[in-house]
Amino acid sequence: MAASSVRSRPEPLKPLKMTWRETVRAYIELTKVRIVLLLIFTTVTAMVIAANGFPSIELLLPTIIGGSLAAAGSSVINQFIDRDMDSRMTRTSRRPIPSGRIAPENALVFGLGLVTWSVVVLAIWVNWLAAILALTGALYYVIIYTIILKRNTVLNILIGGGAGAIPVLVGWAAVTGSLSFEPLILFAIVFYWTPPHSWALALLVNTDYARANVPMMPVARGEETTRHQILLYSIQLMLITLLPAAFGTLSAIYLLAAVALGLGMIRAAIRLIKRKDGAAARAAYKFSTAYLAFLFLAMILDKLIL
């Protein structure tokens, strides 16, 4: 169906001749540094909570390096797989592969190398559980989300969001060498945050996804349904964010931040329903991005101050 028609489209442009500086910048661009930084911030937050303070630099540094390599590598492989789709979408057509700045096979080798090194770093300098979880997150993102779900079902974001939630498990496992219900709550927070965040972006680039035959929620179910789903998940997200305080894992600073930020998410979602324009969708997307960073910052402050 749609997936086969997209995959049958022409290959990206042949690689362009670039200086070594331009090449380095293109490879860095492939890693999606901003997304990696956000994921690693959630990893570090989980480490702070698990250690009841900042862990040692000997543990913190290799965990950050290994986690970053896994997130960056899976992002690169994702772009290798989606290169045909990216070339058809205005938002992604200037990415390194579809723009011809990096050859697809070079990107694949680069991505596989990053993921491999992440496992090596985490296994040697952290522990095997953290290494296995990081590899699981990369495989989840590449195989379950990118290959199986993304082009074939409207559930792509709902199920695929688990990939972005695994870094908190890596952070917890790095400190404790095990998992418990606390990191699973952190996992659930990121998991339930992903749909409203991604669907707000999908509303902004709905035409792109329709052109590429990707069944994101606005394409498959319509924009009105998407707006109501964003509100529903924002409400569920706020309720889940109260659990760390309810179980005593975190306390007052975090609770106040969770309530304030949760109400902000709900307010942005309601505004999306009332105002059916790009400005409301852009505001909701930007707020949701800041939401996760500030929520996890509140977790760190709560743990360090109280």
Side-chain angles (χ1 to χ4, degrees):
M1 62 166 249
S4 61
S5 65
V6 172
R7 292 189 178 103
S8 64
R9 286 167 177 165
E11 286 291 313
L13 299 173
K14 292 182 179 180
L16 303 172
K17 290 184 178 180
M18 301 187 297
T19 66
W20 70 267
R21 287 188 178 88
E22 291 172 331
T23 301
V24 169
R25 282 197 294 268
Y27 274 99
I28 292 174
E29 184 182 337
L30 266 181
T31 64
K32 295 186 179 179
V33 174
R34 285 185 295 179
I35 295 177
V36 170
L37 289 175
L38 181 58
L39 294 177
I40 290 304
F41 186 57
T42 66
T43 301
V44 172
T45 301
M47 295 181 74
V48 170
I49 297 173
N52 201 28
F54 271 106
S56 67
I57 191 67
E58 293 82 8
L59 179 62
L60 185 64
L61 189 58
T63 304
I64 290 175
I65 293 173
S68 298
L69 291 173
S74 58
S75 174
V76 174
I77 298 171
N78 165 270
Q79 289 174 75
F80 166 79
I81 295 169
D82 281 348
R83 62 193 185 279
D84 59 333
M85 183 181 73
D86 285 347
S87 68
R88 302 300 181 186
M89 296 173 61
T90 303
R91 182 176 65 91
T92 57
S93 62
R94 292 306 304 164
R95 285 178 175 173
I97 300 176
S99 66
R101 286 177 288 155
I102 294 180
E105 57 273 18
N106 292 344
L108 178 60
V109 171
F110 179 53
L112 291 173
L114 291 176
V115 173
T116 301
W117 274 110
S118 76
V119 175
V120 172
V121 169
L122 291 170
I124 294 176
W125 284 286
V126 184
N127 59 57
W128 270 105
L129 179 57
I132 291 171
L133 286 169
L135 178 60
T136 299
L139 293 175
Y140 192 128
Y141 184 57
V142 170
I143 297 175
I144 297 179
Y145 173 66
T146 303
I147 296 177
I148 298 176
L149 298 174
K150 187 173 183 179
R151 306 191 195 209
N152 298 305
T153 173
V154 71
L155 299 178
N156 48 21
I157 289 298
L158 288 175
I159 301 173
I166 288 179
V168 298
L169 303 183
V170 174
W172 193 278
V175 172
T176 67
S178 63
L179 294 176
S180 59
F181 76 93
E182 292 101 329
L184 294 180
I185 293 175
L186 299 180
F187 178 95
I189 289 173
V190 181
F191 186 85
Y192 274 85
W193 164 83
T194 303
H197 171 72
S198 300
W199 289 336
L201 174 62
L203 286 171
L204 284 172
V205 295
N206 189 22
T207 303
D208 265 354
Y209 283 126
R211 185 185 302 119
N213 292 316
V214 181
M216 288 295 183
M217 182 67 74
V219 176
R221 297 289 184 268
E223 294 190 4
E224 189 66 24
T225 297
T226 302
R227 291 186 173 89
H228 284 89
Q229 286 294 316
I230 289 174
L231 175 58
L232 175 63
Y233 273 84
S234 296
I235 294 172
Q236 293 179 85
L237 174 62
M238 180 177 176
L239 294 176
I240 292 171
T241 60
L242 302 180
L243 293 179
F247 285 109
T249 305
L250 297 167
S251 53
I253 293 176
Y254 168 75
L255 180 60
L256 290 174
V259 171
L261 290 168
L263 291 175
M265 280 284 288
I266 293 171
R267 179 177 178 272
I270 293 174
R271 189 181 180 210
L272 260 181
I273 295 174
K274 291 182 176 179
R275 287 185 52 187
K276 300 173 175 58
D277 56 25
R282 187 171 293 103
Y285 175 69
K286 288 183 177 179
F287 184 87
S288 67
T289 302
Y291 169 93
L292 194 68
F294 282 116
L295 185 72
F296 276 73
L297 175 62
M299 294 181 189
I300 292 177
L301 294 176
D302 186 281
K303 211 63 180 174
L304 295 179
I305 296 174
L306 299 180

